[in-house]
Amino acid sequence: MATSDISLTAGMRTNLLNLQQTSQLLNRTQQRLSSGKQVNSALDNPTNYFAAQNANQRASDLADRKDGMSEAVQTVSATNAGITAITGLINAAKGIAQSALSTSDTSTRSKLATQYDTIRSQIDNISSDSGYRGLNLLSSTNTLTVNFNEDASSSLDVVGFLANSTGLSLTGASGAWSTNSDITTDTANMDTAISTLRSNTQTLAANLNIITTRQNFTDSMINTLQTGADNLTLADMNQEGANMLMLQTRQSLGTTSLSMSSQAAQAVLRLF
């Protein structure tokens, strides 16, 4: 084979190889432009890929915990709504007791005592109806456990209490309120019940503040983790767009060069 033939064949191979490499780079650039990422698999950059995976997985785990916190807020809110309603009923019962003290008519006092007992039964109803998704913090000493981090090593226990008439020591109208001492005894029990409700409301408010603070913190952490993962994997779209234009130009020139090499080889062959 003549030296010129060898040279032409080598040139064609070189042009073909360059064209194949350009095509591979084009495919990679197209993938980056379509996905928006420069690291789409461990083959692109193992260190960045797995670091981003870990960050995204932690962000996902925290998002699950955040859902649990949201549910906890609703449970505490339902509990607070029950306490507010029960407090209102007790205040109404105190008003009835004051009305009973202002009269000496035993029949009127008996009717007022019946009204008081009706309110007591409504307190029991509200206490049993203040649950959220099967958990009621006013029907017994149920405990709501709120997990804050991905491995549940950070958590908060919100302990309920019995807020019905029995738990608040609100007994039936003593002696049908026939005497002032009967009425004042029950009024004192109502004052104690309101004090108990206020104390538990303060505890719930403190727990709710902790939960909402952790919610906000979790939002920030999720955003930080996702941003960090993006910084490790996202592509510079301006740069990739410029690369695409350059590679398309290179591919066009490579195709032209390969065609010219092929034509030159054919011309040489026609000489023989």
Side-chain angles (χ1 to χ4, degrees), residues 131-147:
Y132 177 78
R133 297 191 65 176
L135 181 61
N136 191 335
L137 297 178
L138 296 182
S139 64
S140 67
T141 54
N142 289 324
T143 299
L144 169 65
T145 300
V146 189
N147 294 316

Side-chain angles (χ1 to χ4, degrees), residues 67-68 70-72 74-75 78 129-137 144:
D67 291 339
S70 297
E71 289 295 280
Q74 297 307 312
T75 301
D129 291 340
S130 296
Y132 177 78
R133 297 191 65 176
L135 181 61
N136 191 335
L137 297 178
L144 169 65

Side-chain angles (χ1 to χ4, degrees), residues 146-168:
V146 189
N147 294 316
F148 295 132
N149 60 356
E150 58 271 30
D151 61 1
S153 60
S154 176
S155 63
L156 174 70
D157 288 335
V158 182
V159 181
F161 67 103
L162 190 58
N164 59 12
S165 58
T166 300
L168 296 174

Side-chain angles (χ1 to χ4, degrees), residues 199-216:
S199 175
N200 282 280
T201 298
Q202 291 173 352
T203 302
L204 282 174
N207 288 333
L208 183 60
N209 182 60
I210 292 172
I211 295 170
T212 54
T213 299
R214 287 303 301 244
Q215 269 186 310
N216 294 333

Side-chain angles (χ1 to χ4, degrees), residues 15-258:
N15 289 332
L16 181 60
L17 179 60
N18 289 336
L19 194 59
Q20 290 174 339
Q21 291 175 343
T22 300
S23 179
Q24 291 174 353
L25 291 174
L26 266 173
N27 292 335
R28 187 186 70 177
T29 302
Q30 287 174 342
Q31 183 183 31
R32 289 179 175 180
L33 286 171
S34 62
S35 68
K37 295 182 177 182
Q38 66 174 347
V39 180
N40 289 285
S41 70
L43 296 177
D44 295 327
N45 187 320
T47 301
N48 286 8
Y49 178 79
F50 288 113
Q53 285 286 93
N54 289 335
N56 283 325
Q57 287 172 1
R58 188 185 175 200
S60 177
D61 292 341
L62 288 176
D64 292 338
R65 293 304 187 195
K66 186 182 155 192
D67 291 339
M69 290 179 229
S70 297
E71 289 295 280
V73 168
Q74 297 307 312
T75 301
V76 175
S77 296
T79 303
N80 184 65
I83 291 175
T84 300
I86 291 171
T87 301
L89 288 177
I90 295 175
N91 284 326
K94 287 180 65 178
I96 292 174
Q98 291 300 316
S99 297
L101 282 174
S102 65
T103 181
S104 59
D105 183 72
T106 55
S107 176
T108 301
R109 285 189 171 188
S110 178
K111 290 179 181 179
L112 292 172
T114 299
Q115 293 178 20
Y116 166 73
D117 285 334
T118 299
I119 288 177
R120 285 180 61 253
S121 67
Q122 290 303 313
I123 289 174
D124 292 340
N125 291 337
I126 290 176
S127 173
S128 63
D129 291 340
S130 296
Y132 177 78
R133 297 191 65 176
L135 181 61
N136 191 335
L137 297 178
L138 296 182
S139 64
S140 67
T141 54
N142 289 324
T143 299
L144 169 65
T145 300
V146 189
N147 294 316
F148 295 132
N149 60 356
E150 58 271 30
D151 61 1
S153 60
S154 176
S155 63
L156 174 70
D157 288 335
V158 182
V159 181
F161 67 103
L162 190 58
N164 59 12
S165 58
T166 300
L168 296 174
S169 299
L170 297 175
T171 59
S174 303
W177 284 0
S178 58
T179 65
N180 287 350
S181 62
D182 292 335
I183 300 172
T184 54
T185 296
D186 287 340
T187 300
N189 289 338
M190 287 185 260
D191 287 335
T192 301
I194 289 177
S195 177
T196 299
L197 291 171
R198 286 175 178 171
S199 175
N200 282 280
T201 298
Q202 291 173 352
T203 302
L204 282 174
N207 288 333
L208 183 60
N209 182 60
I210 292 172
I211 295 170
T212 54
T213 299
R214 287 303 301 244
Q215 269 186 310
N216 294 333
F217 171 75
T218 301
D219 279 334
S220 297
M221 281 301 301
I222 290 174
N223 182 65
T224 298
L225 290 167
Q226 291 176 337
T227 300
D230 289 343
N231 289 339
L232 292 171
T233 60
L234 289 184
D236 184 334
M237 303 305 285
N238 292 328
Q239 179 180 344
E240 296 303 329
N243 287 341
M244 175 64 75
L245 181 60
M246 179 268 292
L247 290 170
Q248 287 174 338
T249 302
R250 182 189 295 178
Q251 185 181 50
S252 177
L253 292 174
T255 302
T256 301
S257 178
L258 183 61

